[in-house]
Amino acid sequence: MPLLVVGSVAFDSVETPHASRERVLGGSAVFFSYSASYFSTVRLVGAVGDDWPGEYTKMLQARQIDTAGLQVISGSKTFFWRGKYLPNMNDRETKEVQLNVLEQFDPVLPESYRRCQYLFLANGAPAMQIRVLEQLPGATLTVADTMDLWIRETHGEVLDLLKRVDGLVLNDAEAKLLTKDENLVRAGHAILKMGPKFVIIKKGEHGAMFFSERETYVLPAYPTIDLVDPTGAGDSFAGGMMGFLAEQGNIEPKTLKTAMAYGTVTASFTVEDFSLDRLKKIEREDIERRMEEYRAMLSF
Amino acid sequence: MPLLVVGSVAFDSVETPHASRERVLGGSAVFFSYSASYFSTVRLVGAVGDDWPGEYTKMLQARQIDTAGLQVISGSKTFFWRGKYLPNMNDRETKEVQLNVLEQFDPVLPESYRRCQYLFLANGAPAMQIRVLEQLPGATLTVADTMDLWIRETHGEVLDLLKRVDGLVLNDAEAKLLTKDENLVRAGHAILKMGPKFVIIKKGEHGAMFFSERETYVLPAYPTIDLVDPTGAGDSFAGGMMGFLAEQGNIEPKTLKTAMAYGTVTASFTVEDFSLDRLKKIEREDIERRMEEYRAMLSF
């Protein structure tokens, strides 16, 4: 089943305690699409500016990512983010944000996209996320990400969004902010009451928690020793997860858990280099091999 | 196989964001012994003062814990700890410590204890831990805990200890302090180089990581919704783990991983109430039932 993602396409400048990179390819829709492309065809919706190199589009297309929904806005520039990771490599500071094309990003889906059954709304203004949802009224599975900015400044719209999506993916700090509860297990259950059928709380190096009416579980992160740059890990996790669900074509509880494991493993490759540099070097069989290691790690 | 533990016996005054308790039974050797008692016979070595209520000794004995090594020092008082948990229930501040009997605690093992094959050295001064080790030269498995105080103030002795034990159990902050590395995967491998055959890094609500020359793995914490008081969770984890190993009578890699899972599940009960209050209400079959849930949680 094709999988639709709406999100940011970015140039990232990233500094870690060990190395740094200037203006490398990033953005939620990019990390998501590339990760999902190991599992299913992906339709990408996003916007870039005049400064966007055409070879990036070709590179995405080479992985069967449909870029018909990637708008190039002339007279504008691509979204830019600069961040610095703290020594623990789990927390980071945003040093600079240039919204550029994202200031007026209000995607209208190409006609060919509107019958997609699997939709991921990467982090973005909830009002925009809702307008995208309205263009796909018959989707099988809709999952959204969000962030602290929207929870703080457009709280009512986040709550509206939560009534309309099947799943929410957010990180631990955002879950605590949204629920005013420091206990993640309680926070997960509290978010379920806000509307979605399932909630996934991402804990970075500590893995991810899943909550539905009937299930609560935690999967740890794959313990890679080659942690180079955590940027994109969350979107890569979501991409691997949604890609696997779209490939399987069902959203049964067992499939959802396996999908979370695939997301975890896919993200563990992403963090082993900057940008897409590590993912570019792997094939599906590398994911399968690490998936087997991960499964064995959790068997006793 | 009987299991020997040397550690503290304490009165704890605990404040959490939701409730508090004054002078309840605690201490590393107590949480360890009680947890291990679901799996094997336990021999406890510790010291208490005149203020120690005899019914506590009887309560431990009722769980087949041998208290021949529990010295009552007349004219002295039992170790006292007062702590307060932060809203996240994972971090805590120590508000008051009265060492009391622990000031001169230098255990001489009863003759009947010296042929024990399984030894856990709960947190204590490394010089004392080494003197205990010397009294059990033929042990099959020796595992030690330590803490930031010893790593900072008796660093050389901690390094000595690490050359003499089979395993080290410590928490994430302590592992970072000991190795000066913020990456826990690298920290775990670095500690292996200091001597022990395996290292377990406890991450509180995020579970525990295992490192040996051939294996690296992570097990998440069991996601209990009834988190009341985390005090003793680490010692209860170690107790469940060592208790299971002593019960099985082997330290094969597969047994070690299953033991870590039993430790995780045992600790998940401990945190559901203050002191031993939750553990007192469970039987081995409750641990087995939750173990099955935990196993299912990690299957996909």
Side-chain angles (χ1 to χ4, degrees):
Chain A
M1 297 284 233
L3 166 62
L4 179 61
V5 56
V6 181
S8 64
V9 177
F11 292 127
D12 290 341
S13 286
V14 182
E15 185 182 343
T16 77
H18 311 287
S20 61
R21 289 290 185 280
E22 284 295 325
R23 295 182 70 77
V24 293
L25 179 58
S28 58
V30 168
F31 282 110
F32 181 95
S33 303
Y34 208 92
S35 301
S37 74
Y38 291 96
F39 304 92
S40 67
T41 55
V42 184
R43 293 172 178 170
L44 186 158
V45 175
V48 293
D50 286 332
D51 53 353
W52 176 253
E55 65 257 38
Y56 282 172
T57 302
K58 291 201 188 85
M59 190 260 287
L60 296 171
Q61 288 170 343
R63 292 246 13 126
Q64 315 304 324
I65 296 166
D66 183 342
T67 58
L70 181 65
Q71 303 166 53
V72 183
I73 313 279
S74 67
S76 192
K77 282 180 158 184
T78 302
F79 173 66
F80 173 77
W81 175 79
R82 180 186 296 281
K84 181 179 174 174
Y85 285 86
L86 304 188
N88 68 12
M89 291 287 269
N90 210 32
D91 302 314
R92 69 187 188 188
E93 292 167 7
T94 290
K95 294 289 189 182
E96 188 182 349
V97 169
Q98 296 171 14
L99 279 179
N100 298 333
V101 291
L102 292 193
E103 276 181 67
Q104 301 102 7
F105 182 51
D106 196 9
V108 176
L109 305 189
E111 196 53 41
S112 63
Y113 279 29
R114 297 192 180 211
R115 281 184 304 276
C116 261
Q117 293 296 311
Y118 289 79
L119 170 65
F120 186 71
L121 297 160
N123 168 34
M128 179 275 283
Q129 291 174 309
I130 289 171
R131 284 195 296 276
V132 172
L133 274 176
E134 286 167 346
Q135 295 174 58
L136 278 149
T140 302
L141 178 67
T142 59
V143 179
D145 195 348
T146 191
M147 75 182 281
D148 51 357
L149 174 74
W150 312 118
I151 295 169
R152 270 201 207 92
E153 302 196 359
T154 59
H155 195 254
E157 289 163 1
V158 169
L159 295 181
D160 264 1
L161 174 73
L162 290 180
K163 294 195 188 81
R164 294 162 178 250
V165 289
D166 298 310
L168 181 71
V169 174
L170 76 179
N171 73 30
D172 43 4
E174 292 155 358
K176 291 175 181 182
L177 180 68
L178 180 57
T179 59
K180 310 253 183 285
D181 196 324
E182 290 279 331
N183 178 315
L184 290 176
V185 182
R186 279 202 307 263
H189 288 285
I191 299 172
L192 280 183
K193 294 209 177 86
M194 299 176 186
K197 294 190 196 76
F198 68 86
V199 175
I200 293 170
I201 300 181
K202 298 174 289 182
K203 306 195 294 173
E205 64 172 318
H206 301 304
M209 309 181 82
F210 178 94
F211 302 89
S212 69
E213 199 191 353
R214 303 186 58 171
E215 284 190 299
T216 296
Y217 54 79
V218 192
L219 295 181
Y222 177 88
T224 177
I225 199 164
D226 300 317
L227 177 58
V228 172
D229 173 17
T231 308
D235 296 304
S236 182
F237 165 82
M241 180 187 83
M242 292 289 291
F244 180 77
L245 289 170
E247 179 187 49
Q248 299 300 306
N250 80 70
I251 50 173
E252 296 302 310
K254 188 172 162 32
T255 316
L256 266 169
K257 197 196 278 184
T258 309
M260 257 187 62
Y262 271 104
T264 298
V265 166
T266 308
S268 77
F269 285 106
T270 302
V271 302
E272 290 179 350
D273 207 339
F274 287 93
S275 186
L276 299 175
D277 292 357
R278 182 74 178 101
L279 285 183
K280 278 185 196 166
K281 292 180 187 138
I282 66 166
E283 299 295 333
R284 173 73 178 258
E285 68 190 48
D286 297 292
I287 294 176
E288 293 300 338
R289 204 172 302 125
R290 191 170 284 188
M291 185 74 177
E292 279 317 299
E293 280 176 46
Y294 184 62
R295 228 187 264 273
M297 180 182 111
L298 298 175
S299 300
F300 44 81
Chain B
M1 298 285 232
L3 166 61
L4 178 62
V5 57
V6 180
S8 63
V9 177
F11 292 128
D12 291 340
S13 286
V14 183
E15 184 182 343
T16 77
H18 311 287
S20 61
R21 289 291 184 281
E22 284 296 323
R23 294 182 68 78
V24 292
L25 178 58
S28 58
V30 169
F31 282 110
F32 181 96
S33 302
Y34 208 92
S35 301
S37 74
Y38 292 96
F39 304 92
S40 66
T41 55
V42 184
R43 293 173 178 170
L44 186 157
V45 176
V48 294
D50 286 331
D51 52 354
W52 176 252
E55 67 256 37
Y56 282 172
T57 302
K58 291 201 189 86
M59 190 260 288
L60 296 171
Q61 288 169 343
R63 290 245 17 125
Q64 315 305 323
I65 297 165
D66 183 341
T67 58
L70 181 66
Q71 303 168 52
V72 183
I73 314 280
S74 66
S76 192
K77 284 180 155 182
T78 302
F79 173 65
F80 173 76
W81 176 80
R82 179 186 296 281
K84 179 180 174 174
Y85 285 87
L86 304 188
N88 69 13
M89 292 286 269
N90 210 33
D91 302 314
R92 69 187 189 188
E93 292 166 8
T94 290
K95 296 286 191 186
E96 188 182 350
V97 169
Q98 296 172 13
L99 279 180
N100 298 333
V101 290
L102 293 192
E103 274 180 71
Q104 299 103 6
F105 182 52
D106 196 11
V108 176
L109 305 189
E111 195 54 42
S112 64
Y113 279 29
R114 296 193 181 211
R115 281 183 304 276
C116 260
Q117 293 296 310
Y118 289 78
L119 169 65
F120 186 71
L121 297 160
N123 169 34
M128 178 276 282
Q129 291 175 308
I130 289 170
R131 283 194 297 276
V132 173
L133 274 176
E134 286 167 347
Q135 296 173 60
L136 277 149
T140 302
L141 178 68
T142 58
V143 179
D145 195 348
T146 190
M147 76 181 283
D148 51 356
L149 173 74
W150 313 118
I151 296 170
R152 267 200 212 92
E153 301 196 0
T154 58
H155 195 253
E157 289 163 0
V158 169
L159 295 182
D160 265 0
L161 174 73
L162 289 181
K163 293 193 187 83
R164 293 161 179 250
V165 289
D166 298 310
L168 180 72
V169 174
L170 76 179
N171 74 29
D172 42 3
E174 291 154 1
K176 290 175 183 183
L177 180 68
L178 180 58
T179 60
K180 311 252 184 285
D181 196 325
E182 290 281 331
N183 178 317
L184 291 176
V185 183
R186 278 201 308 263
H189 288 284
I191 299 171
L192 281 183
K193 295 210 178 85
M194 299 175 186
K197 295 190 196 75
F198 66 86
V199 175
I200 293 171
I201 300 181
K202 299 175 288 181
K203 306 195 295 174
E205 65 171 319
H206 302 303
M209 309 181 83
F210 178 94
F211 302 89
S212 70
E213 199 191 353
R214 302 185 59 171
E215 285 190 298
T216 296
Y217 54 79
V218 192
L219 294 181
Y222 177 89
T224 177
I225 199 165
D226 300 316
L227 177 59
V228 172
D229 173 17
T231 308
D235 295 304
S236 182
F237 165 82
M241 181 186 83
M242 292 290 291
F244 181 76
L245 288 171
E247 179 187 49
Q248 299 300 306
N250 80 71
I251 49 173
E252 295 302 310
K254 189 173 163 29
T255 316
L256 266 169
K257 197 197 279 184
T258 308
M260 258 189 60
Y262 272 104
T264 298
V265 165
T266 308
S268 77
F269 285 106
T270 302
V271 303
E272 290 179 349
D273 207 340
F274 288 92
S275 186
L276 299 175
D277 292 358
R278 181 74 178 100
L279 285 183
K280 279 184 196 164
K281 293 181 186 138
I282 67 166
E283 299 295 336
R284 173 72 179 256
E285 68 191 46
D286 297 292
I287 294 176
E288 294 300 338
R289 203 173 302 124
R290 190 171 283 188
M291 185 73 177
E292 278 316 300
E293 279 175 47
Y294 184 62
R295 228 186 263 273
M297 179 183 111
L298 297 175
S299 301
F300 46 81

